[in-house]
Amino acid sequence: MIIREKKALFRECSTISYLNLYRDSVFFDIETTGLSWRRSRLYLMGALYFSGNAWNLKQWFLENPLEELSLLQSFSAFLEPFSSVIHYNGQTFDLPYLKHKYEDYKLPDPLSSKESLDLYRIFRPWQKPLGLPSLKQKDAEQFLGISREDVCSGGELISCYEEYLKTASPELLELLLLHNHDDVLGLAELLPLMGFDHLRRGDAVPEQAELKKGELILSLSLNYPLPVPLSLDVPPYRLRAGKRKAVLSAETFSGEMKHFFPNWKEYYYLPLEDCAIHKSVGVYVDKNCRRKASARTCYQRTKGTFLPQPVPLFQPEFYLEYGSSPSWFSFHDAFLEDREALAAYARSILTAML
């Protein structure tokens, strides 16, 4: 078994700021001679990890397929100090493949006790908003402008490995190691895409809010930068985001809305006034001018300026009609100065939009 270890040299400087969040993690990728763990062999593993105040890349390569057990044991020992593992679509392939291999050799699976982060699953919701035709790792790298030396696919390298077993060609060895090296390094270099996930969770600070031309315009400072700009329209909301700044807009409604009471059985509806009143008061109204309220008629009308909310964050809630969407809340000038309320409102919208 060949074990190669060296300092990791990243092609994108923005990678480092994100990597600092994952110093207790191992980024890893595996190469196999097929998709079925029963009918294929594990022949190469690569891992990126932090040690000695630097990021390092370690690879285990099998010169002999019969060394598979030794590779698995070595990887288990290597993983012990780390709390989590990071991979790309490993939930679908790498983790179950290794789990079965460890079980087959009657060894405990070291990955089962680690926290697991699948970058593919985090990035998958962004494929459509970012206009990506595919979310294969190489396509995601290309989207970020990351160029790799490796030009082969994992499937193409199976025949290269089989040829290496016959010839022990140094050129083929370097080709095989290069592909795995670029796959593992690419995992870290895709981390700037996490900026979109931070944005979705509303990881931003309101800087300014104003009501202008029928819109609430909220300027945000992003705690994590975006690798590329994002523009998104999901009426009644609009988002324009750059590297460190974003502008979130919400269309207002000026006019009359209805607040529906949930406990409608305790109310009367007054047709002439077109509103509902509690029975404790309505009992004094002429019986000919009142009737039992229903869920649809149990409301009070209010005039003003309203803001939409994707979830019932602020009370009371208002609606244009019974069963309509979204819910709205009454706007007051003080809202523009309430940083806590603005942050909560931005989070709710961003989570709904993204």
Side-chain angles (χ1 to χ4, degrees):
M1 180 166 56
I2 296 173
I3 299 178
R4 183 177 291 186
E5 193 166 5
K6 62 180 181 179
K7 293 286 187 293
L9 299 176
F10 299 105
R11 296 160 290 195
E12 296 293 324
C13 59
S14 60
T15 301
I16 299 299
S17 60
Y18 279 93
L19 273 174
N20 289 332
L21 302 172
Y22 299 102
R23 290 190 173 188
D24 294 328
S25 302
V26 171
F27 297 78
F28 83 96
D29 186 58
I30 67 174
E31 311 297 338
T32 69
T33 60
L35 298 178
S36 169
W37 68 271
R38 288 188 180 88
R39 296 187 295 274
S40 68
R41 288 283 184 174
L42 175 67
Y43 71 87
L44 175 58
M45 297 185 74
L48 179 72
Y49 67 101
F50 189 80
S51 178
N53 206 33
W55 285 91
N56 307 276
L57 203 153
K58 187 171 185 176
Q59 292 175 290
W60 297 260
F61 177 79
L62 296 192
E63 297 175 283
N64 183 339
L66 298 179
E67 296 176 313
E68 191 177 59
L69 172 59
S70 297
L71 190 158
L72 292 168
Q73 290 172 326
S74 180
F75 188 61
S76 289
F78 165 78
L79 282 179
E80 284 182 6
F82 300 98
S83 62
S84 62
V85 291
I86 300 174
H87 41 83
Y88 199 84
N89 207 21
Q91 210 72 34
T92 301
F93 178 68
D94 302 61
L95 296 185
Y97 187 97
L98 290 173
K99 177 179 182 293
H100 288 304
K101 283 293 184 182
Y102 276 107
E103 288 177 349
D104 196 40
Y105 285 107
K106 295 180 172 53
L107 294 173
D109 176 12
L111 296 163
S112 63
S113 61
K114 309 291 181 184
E115 291 185 24
S116 178
L117 181 66
D118 191 332
L119 295 181
Y120 171 79
R121 297 198 174 196
I122 292 176
F123 301 154
R124 185 170 56 186
W126 293 97
Q127 182 175 346
K128 185 176 180 180
L130 295 176
L132 291 172
S134 162
L135 256 185
K136 292 179 180 178
Q137 183 174 334
K138 284 187 177 181
D139 293 326
E141 290 174 10
Q142 190 174 31
F143 173 74
L144 292 182
I146 300 168
S147 58
R148 53 161 68 196
E149 293 182 53
D150 164 59
V151 295
C152 300
S153 69
E156 292 170 336
L157 291 178
I158 294 175
S159 59
C160 292
Y161 180 62
E162 292 171 347
E163 184 65 22
Y164 173 83
L165 294 178
K166 299 174 185 175
T167 64
S169 163
E171 291 77 18
L172 287 175
L173 174 62
E174 293 306 316
L175 187 67
L176 293 162
L177 290 172
L178 176 63
H179 173 80
N180 178 258
H181 170 278
D182 282 7
D183 269 356
V184 176
L185 202 65
L187 288 176
E189 291 176 327
L190 288 179
L191 285 178
L193 284 172
M194 293 288 285
F196 292 112
D197 195 60
H198 284 285
L199 176 65
R200 180 187 62 81
R201 289 186 272 126
D203 202 343
V205 178
E207 289 188 329
Q208 183 181 359
E210 61 177 333
L211 202 65
K212 186 177 180 181
K213 295 181 180 180
E215 280 189 319
L216 174 73
I217 301 174
L218 181 56
S219 299
L220 303 170
S221 174
L222 306 183
N223 292 329
Y224 293 88
L226 300 183
V228 297
L230 177 66
S231 180
L232 201 59
D233 291 300
V234 183
Y237 312 110
R238 183 160 51 92
L239 174 68
R240 301 292 181 266
K243 187 171 185 178
R244 281 284 188 180
K245 303 288 184 181
V247 176
L248 185 62
S249 304
E251 298 174 10
T252 64
F253 175 85
S254 294
E256 186 177 86
M257 283 206 170
K258 298 174 180 177
H259 170 64
F260 291 87
F261 300 106
N263 50 338
W264 52 269
K265 291 183 179 180
E266 298 176 14
Y267 283 79
Y268 285 121
Y269 173 65
L270 309 182
L272 295 178
E273 286 80 6
D274 189 21
C275 68
I277 59 172
H278 197 270
K279 286 183 176 179
S280 60
V281 178
V283 69
Y284 300 106
V285 176
D286 190 320
K287 292 183 179 180
N288 295 320
C289 298
R290 75 185 191 207
R291 63 173 184 248
K292 289 182 180 180
S294 66
R296 188 176 293 275
T297 62
C298 192
Y299 57 78
Q300 283 188 344
R301 295 174 293 133
T302 301
K303 289 183 178 180
T305 298
F306 302 87
L307 285 170
Q309 52 183 353
V311 293
L313 186 64
F314 301 105
Q315 300 293 333
E317 297 173 66
F318 295 91
Y319 294 88
L320 285 170
E321 296 295 342
Y322 179 76
S324 65
S325 181
S327 79
W328 302 72
F329 67 98
S330 182
F331 168 79
H332 301 284
D333 288 340
F335 182 68
L336 299 177
E337 304 300 327
D338 190 335
R339 288 291 181 266
E340 187 176 336
L342 289 170
Y345 186 50
R347 281 194 300 271
S348 69
I349 294 174
L350 289 169
T351 300
M353 288 183 74
L354 305 173

